Amino acid sequence: MKNFIKHDDWKIIEEGFHPEFNRISESIFSLGNGRKGGRGNFEEQYSGSSLQGNYLAGIYYPDKTRVGWWKNGYPEYFAKILNAANWIGINVNVDGEELDLAKMNIESFTRTVNMKEAVLCREFIASFLNGKKVKVSSKRFLSIVRPEVGAIKYTVEPLNFDGKITFTPYVDFDIKNEDSNYDEKFWIGENIENMGNEGYLTAYTKKTKFLVCSGMKYNVIADDKEHAVHITNESREKYIESSFTVNAKKGHKITLCKYGVNASSMYHAPTRLMSDAKETLNEAFDEGFDVLLNEHRDAWAKKWELSDIKIEGDVAAQQGIRFNIFQLNQTYTGDDERLNVGPKGFTGEKYGGTTYWDTEAYCLPFFLSTTPQKVSRNLLVYRYKHLQKAIENAEKLGFKNGAALYPMVTINGEECHNEWEITFEEIHRNGAIANAIRNYINYTGDKDYLAPYGFEVLLAISRFWAQRVNWSGQKQKYVMLGVTGPNEYENNVNNNWHTNNMAVWTLKYTLEAIDFVKKEHPEIYAEACLKTGFNEVEETARWREIIEKMYFPYDEERDIYLQQDGFMDKDLEPAETIEPDERPISHNWSWDRILRSPYIKQADVLQSLFWFADDYEKTDIERHFDFYEPLTVHESSLSPCVHSILAASIGRPEKAYEMYLRTARLDLDDYNSDTADGLHITSMGGTWMSFVMGLGGMRVRNGKIFFNPILPDGWKGYTFRINFRNCNFKVDVRQSEIFITNLSEQQTEICVFDKDEVIKEHSTVTIKL
Amino acid sequence: MKNFIKHDDWKIIEEGFHPEFNRISESIFSLGNGRKGGRGNFEEQYSGSSLQGNYLAGIYYPDKTRVGWWKNGYPEYFAKILNAANWIGINVNVDGEELDLAKMNIESFTRTVNMKEAVLCREFIASFLNGKKVKVSSKRFLSIVRPEVGAIKYTVEPLNFDGKITFTPYVDFDIKNEDSNYDEKFWIGENIENMGNEGYLTAYTKKTKFLVCSGMKYNVIADDKEHAVHITNESREKYIESSFTVNAKKGHKITLCKYGVNASSMYHAPTRLMSDAKETLNEAFDEGFDVLLNEHRDAWAKKWELSDIKIEGDVAAQQGIRFNIFQLNQTYTGDDERLNVGPKGFTGEKYGGTTYWDTEAYCLPFFLSTTPQKVSRNLLVYRYKHLQKAIENAEKLGFKNGAALYPMVTINGEECHNEWEITFEEIHRNGAIANAIRNYINYTGDKDYLAPYGFEVLLAISRFWAQRVNWSGQKQKYVMLGVTGPNEYENNVNNNWHTNNMAVWTLKYTLEAIDFVKKEHPEIYAEACLKTGFNEVEETARWREIIEKMYFPYDEERDIYLQQDGFMDKDLEPAETIEPDERPISHNWSWDRILRSPYIKQADVLQSLFWFADDYEKTDIERHFDFYEPLTVHESSLSPCVHSILAASIGRPEKAYEMYLRTARLDLDDYNSDTADGLHITSMGGTWMSFVMGLGGMRVRNGKIFFNPILPDGWKGYTFRINFRNCNFKVDVRQSEIFITNLSEQQTEICVFDKDEVIKEHSTVTIKL
């Protein structure tokens, strides 16, 4: 755990330069606007440890798989979001010395993100070995309004000398992914135009043939006036630069305003790409830095209006929750259903930047509650568009008749992951994708999504379950052999309760969906049946049989569902008995030892109890929580949130708060020593859930929203915002009252602490505690 | 399945050149002498598909592991026997054209190994595109008498022209392993001496620093006379060559006799290596080709005297069994306890050339029965010498107090393999290593091997089992969770019956061993206890408790032991219901589908029933065989032999013969389409077992040897030889009689068809059928 980020309500602040933490800071200070993003790298050269990273949404490369021992069925490649052009670069040379913080004496240094405005600032005073001292400040943002544009204001001031300063803004496309499996470069340069203060280059990706144009344009300001400079342009393969030298005077600032554009064939016809990019960039340039920044601020203000959470009395917690919300909003804006939320967003390369079940299980609730409905709908449509690929994935594993297995990891619908115990066996993900449909409809009321999108996805998943089970002659039940549950510290187990439960639930829900679509949209239903070759009578008969005769591992003595067959054969010592120096066990124990231990990486049985809490008594949940929680080591960033929510729901506020804290500052404090690789973006959705659904006790049942808030000790209060159907609420929790404000134009009914409350438009109800 | 090898009693013959099968032939025509070996490559240049391979026993490189997803506990490297200097090379240039069968018109071609003599011959007539025709013959062997020496007689005869022929014998050490993980070369050149008809070079291996000297010396014979030539020498890094040109006359043969040496720091002080190699080579050179060949033939005749199996009435079967015996004898000669039997011997690079449990389970019986006792004793000592490393392997997995886990794959005792389900979980191998001690003592009567070698190994393995089990509160039994049995088509199962059985058996046998060593060698025992920190009272008490309370999965209804927990939940359709185009399932099914199927790769429960057959009734074995055999797909080359032996033992001669046939010609007919990678050397031990223990029904009990022979339909008879304690037997099985000859100097008692027979020295008993 690190502690170098200064606490503040709205800002993330690194004060004093920490070269040993630079890669961590680069992750933490990442910027993104849903279409592109990049790490908090320096503009000027830096020869210390750094991962220079700039990423464009949807632009990936199928990197040839690296594997020790090939298993039949493995995918040939692992899709990676590509590290793309470095457009921020500005080399600065002062009287022949290169500006490089790794080689200078640093007097002061601050790196700050103002989350309210989504602007990254840096300011430092440093001197060269020859004693010349400069003050540098930079301000950078990626416009949330013009998603292809970014802008930088970069100022150098000589503090104790007059001299020549050469600025070399550049765009470098000769970029490699640090995690390239075979050390290969994936970009091939195409065209270059580089003249005066404006330059562009295009490059395309090997195999996938995405074409990208990155460009820059700049002007120079000295003493608050546009300053004419003599420019030299140079270009080489995949690289353009432009240089000018200024006679700088002590105490006088030279400011370079660099505007960047990154446009891709995702959004432009390849033949028009460079001209479109030029047009976009010139429009931005003509507006100027301040206009761009103002519109950007305004747009962010609207995002915060819908999603902010305010905590009073705990700055660290305040900063933590805002950081999570900020990053989620930087990563996904929901205007393109081809995009999704990668585990690291635009902040690093680990996990390939692709889509996991994390989106459905951990991020969807945040977007449902804080963004317009189309945003979360697009997350669902993403999977609908991948349905054919999911069917092909299942076919590769021997399934037939339109059964679909959604991939563990993907970017275009094809499976990318190659660990048999995950890729082939962690099939509960299929249930998570079905459950997202239920979750979306339950929240929004948009049941028509079933006709036919939701229905077709559910049908294909149900077909998978129906083929994946087999009849056990001995048990006289259907069983599901050889699976890995959400708890990845068990592999290839039989009858993982959560997976069996998701299977049966999917079958039931698909039957309901059929009833609805058949009745409400008979033509769409008929068409979908034709398209999918659905034999309703035969197939649903088998589903009903499976629903009726599914086997669920269960321990009579304790009256609990068992995580899997044989779980009670383990040595059930609680996790607190593990020696502290052996934690996390994933770093200290061999894999076989982890597997045969009882320790649980993340919620498994409890995942189902969270999702289907309404099907269980509170005492059921308590019993299972008390059995499984002590065995859970929470070694996934996705783990504590579910435990936090369940703990809150069964009246264990301390536990709920403890679990909430584990996620909220995970990256800011580098809790797991892996923030250098990038931020845990999808687990940030879990943080939000554990706040709003855990502490806030928010639930939606039958079209009504419920709140059951608790206030952690030491907090004065907190406020969160919720977008629900046509209403927007502000929930303000204090020590002795709760205020719920209806910010919309219509009266609505909510339920607080199991009591219905009617709230008129633009008014507040107060619940005394 | 290929069919291009001509059937013959003693020879392996390829008639007509099959470039498409060249890599297969190169494997099949491999030569070896226990210390070195090489594939059946051509001496002259060949630009077609080929794997040039020459290997030296014990010379390995720890190649950096390639892995998709790292698991804690994985080894850093995979040890590979290195492809070493090509010493056989002779470039031949005829009037400016390079001799290269890939570019010539081939009129006739024969490649032959005479297994009786271990000599590889080749003869071809081919013409260049310019019409010039040559006849070439070569004869090559690796001396079994002088293990560092090889010799080649290479003759070229111009058939229709007079012209200049340039010969360039060379030694090339610029060699790469084809399976190098990162395309790296592992040899670094050191010294070169190259003058006249004699040249040497030394190279050492990166990291492991093995030093090797390879050299050549040659003379030329024309018209049966030594022919003086003008020699030009050239050298470059890791390469020496020597050229001379001969004015060749139509119909006159030019013969090059090239002698090679390969000496290594395994057997020589590095500082003396080159001078030792020179001395060895010059001695051989001075003897001359014919003398070397004669002593080599004589030594091979003695090997065959002890190990030959003769079949009458089935040439294909005859060739098959001799090929298996020949290759085993080429691979391991047992005079160096640092060496072992790699799965591919000296015939290819797959599996790294290292040691698996195959040696103990499949090869030891062959060496016990056909070679002097010290040979099999050295196989055991090999593991004794690795005991400390096996203890370290176990420590890496969290075991303590001198518990040992022998590696799945090794060359120096350290684990090399990196699949968690194998490396960490396929722990029955530990039992196989313990069982080899029992097997060796049972066969040889050398019980003193226990003091202290056998005892120390057994103790460390017992300590492993005692820590690997855990107490199941639910079952009130000891269980063993998360293992992979010999049937690798199941991973991470609980309570694999064979593994539990091996564990309990090891504990029992170790208790017996303690009693023996304590009583017969009290001082050695006391010393061993001190060295190992053995607390006899406490540790054996725990062992006894485990022996008493071990859980064994069992099906009451069928009265069979279950391969593992949950086995009866599978869909138990017999393997014959699998569509033929889906066989082998390892090529056609995804791994998850294989895992949840009931199909068995190789004997698992049946492995124990084979090893401990005397503990079971014949009806027990029948019942288990009838349950498991139909589910077995035999997709390991090691599978059919155990089934063959069990089938024979329960009176199923057709099944025994069917299973025997699957192994006997596996490589000659390229049954599994993988012979190109190298021969299945260790499975050849299984072939021998299925012959002698299956068809021949040989067993050893309480110091007496038993035979129960059956004669397959269509065979006139067969003869095999057995070395047992101080006796040597010839067993001659005919349709209506069996003749057993005692070839030794003393009377002995044997048992045939459960009837005791006394055989006087040098005499034969006849059993009428």
Side-chain angles (χ1 to χ4, degrees), chain A residues 1-4 20-21 23-25 27-28 344 350-351 583-584 586-588 635 637 662 665-680:
Chain A
M1 190 162 145
K2 316 287 179 304
N3 207 9
F4 70 102
E20 72 281 20
F21 301 149
R23 281 180 172 237
I24 302 171
S25 286
S27 298
I28 291 175
K344 300 278 166 212
K350 208 178 169 186
Y351 304 123
R583 299 286 284 264
S586 64
H587 290 184
N588 293 294
E635 292 183 5
S637 67
R662 276 186 82 142
R665 292 187 59 87
L666 181 76
D667 282 317
L668 288 179
D669 296 337
D670 193 19
Y671 196 89
N672 287 347
S673 299
D674 60 356
T675 298
D677 297 331
L679 303 175
H680 298 79

Side-chain angles (χ1 to χ4, degrees), chain A residues 142-166:
Chain A
L142 299 180
S143 173
I144 196 89
V145 181
R146 303 168 193 248
E148 293 171 338
V149 171
I152 303 165
K153 188 177 248 184
Y154 191 91
T155 302
V156 182
E157 179 186 347
L159 293 183
N160 59 358
F161 66 99
D162 294 349
K164 284 189 192 306
I165 305 186
T166 304

Side-chain angles (χ1 to χ4, degrees), chain A residues 133-351:
Chain A
K133 187 182 287 188
V134 290
K135 179 173 173 186
V136 175
S137 64
S138 83
K139 191 177 270 197
R140 185 163 92 221
F141 63 94
L142 299 180
S143 173
I144 196 89
V145 181
R146 303 168 193 248
E148 293 171 338
V149 171
I152 303 165
K153 188 177 248 184
Y154 191 91
T155 302
V156 182
E157 179 186 347
L159 293 183
N160 59 358
F161 66 99
D162 294 349
K164 284 189 192 306
I165 305 186
T166 304
F167 291 83
T168 309
Y170 63 88
V171 179
D172 183 4
F173 225 137
D174 194 18
I175 294 296
K176 206 172 75 175
N177 268 50
E178 198 178 46
D179 69 345
S180 164
N181 275 344
Y182 294 89
D183 231 32
E184 203 185 340
K185 289 184 176 179
F186 305 134
W187 291 104
I188 294 173
E190 206 189 41
N191 290 327
I192 283 182
E193 283 191 21
N194 187 19
M195 199 185 290
N197 68 337
E198 193 175 357
Y200 301 88
L201 45 76
T202 59
Y204 62 92
T205 54
K206 291 184 190 170
K207 292 188 194 163
T208 36
K209 306 283 182 223
F210 287 107
L211 187 65
V212 169
C213 177
S214 291
M216 62 173 180
K217 187 166 182 176
Y218 63 88
N219 57 350
V220 184
I221 294 155
D223 295 327
D224 296 327
K225 290 199 303 271
E226 185 91 20
H227 184 78
V229 291
H230 174 75
I231 292 174
T232 316
N233 297 94
E234 287 203 28
S235 310
R236 55 174 191 264
E237 210 206 332
K238 296 193 271 184
Y239 180 87
I240 53 171
E241 67 173 40
S242 175
S243 291
F244 59 89
T245 300
V246 180
N247 290 314
K249 293 239 154 66
K250 178 174 155 184
H252 290 258
K253 292 175 180 159
I254 316 288
T255 297
L256 169 67
C257 284
K258 181 181 180 185
Y259 303 80
V261 66
N262 294 285
S264 83
S265 55
M266 289 277 288
Y267 301 99
H268 299 269
T271 50
R272 294 183 44 96
L273 184 63
M274 198 185 273
S275 60
D276 284 0
K278 274 186 194 175
E279 199 180 314
T280 303
L281 183 58
N282 275 291
E283 273 172 19
F285 184 85
D286 293 345
E287 295 286 4
F289 192 88
D290 294 338
V291 172
L292 296 180
L293 181 55
N294 282 335
E295 68 184 24
H296 173 74
R297 276 183 189 133
D298 291 349
W300 268 98
K302 283 187 191 137
K303 283 192 179 285
W304 284 113
E305 175 83 15
L306 286 174
S307 57
D308 189 28
I309 293 179
K310 197 171 166 188
I311 299 172
E312 283 170 64
D314 189 339
V315 179
Q318 175 66 79
Q319 187 183 39
I321 189 66
R322 282 200 174 122
F323 186 64
N324 285 267
I325 295 167
F326 175 57
Q327 291 297 345
L328 286 163
N329 280 325
Q330 287 207 115
T331 305
Y332 186 73
T333 51
D335 56 357
D336 183 343
E337 89 267 333
R338 295 171 301 176
L339 304 182
N340 207 285
V341 187
K344 300 278 166 212
F346 300 113
T347 72
E349 300 176 7
K350 208 178 169 186
Y351 304 123

Side-chain angles (χ1 to χ4, degrees), chain B residues 191-304:
Chain B
N191 291 328
I192 283 182
E193 283 191 21
N194 187 19
M195 200 186 289
N197 67 335
E198 193 174 356
Y200 301 88
L201 43 76
T202 58
Y204 64 92
T205 54
K206 290 184 191 169
K207 291 187 195 165
T208 35
K209 305 283 184 227
F210 287 108
L211 186 65
V212 169
C213 177
S214 291
M216 64 174 178
K217 186 164 184 178
Y218 62 88
N219 58 349
V220 184
I221 293 157
D223 296 327
D224 297 326
K225 289 199 305 272
E226 186 90 20
H227 185 78
V229 291
H230 174 75
I231 293 173
T232 316
N233 297 92
E234 287 203 27
S235 310
R236 56 174 188 264
E237 210 206 333
K238 295 194 270 184
Y239 180 85
I240 53 170
E241 67 173 40
S242 175
S243 290
F244 61 88
T245 300
V246 180
N247 289 313
K249 292 240 153 65
K250 177 174 156 186
H252 289 258
K253 294 174 180 159
I254 316 288
T255 297
L256 169 65
C257 285
K258 181 181 181 187
Y259 303 80
V261 65
N262 293 285
S264 84
S265 54
M266 289 277 287
Y267 301 99
H268 299 268
T271 49
R272 293 184 44 98
L273 185 64
M274 198 184 273
S275 60
D276 285 358
K278 274 187 194 174
E279 197 181 315
T280 303
L281 183 57
N282 274 291
E283 273 172 18
F285 183 83
D286 293 345
E287 295 286 3
F289 193 87
D290 294 337
V291 171
L292 297 179
L293 181 55
N294 281 337
E295 68 184 24
H296 174 72
R297 274 183 191 134
D298 291 348
W300 268 98
K302 283 185 192 137
K303 284 192 179 285
W304 284 113

Side-chain angles (χ1 to χ4, degrees), chain A residues 578-590:
Chain A
I578 304 169
E579 294 294 329
D581 64 353
E582 298 190 353
R583 299 286 284 264
I585 58 172
S586 64
H587 290 184
N588 293 294
W589 286 12
S590 68

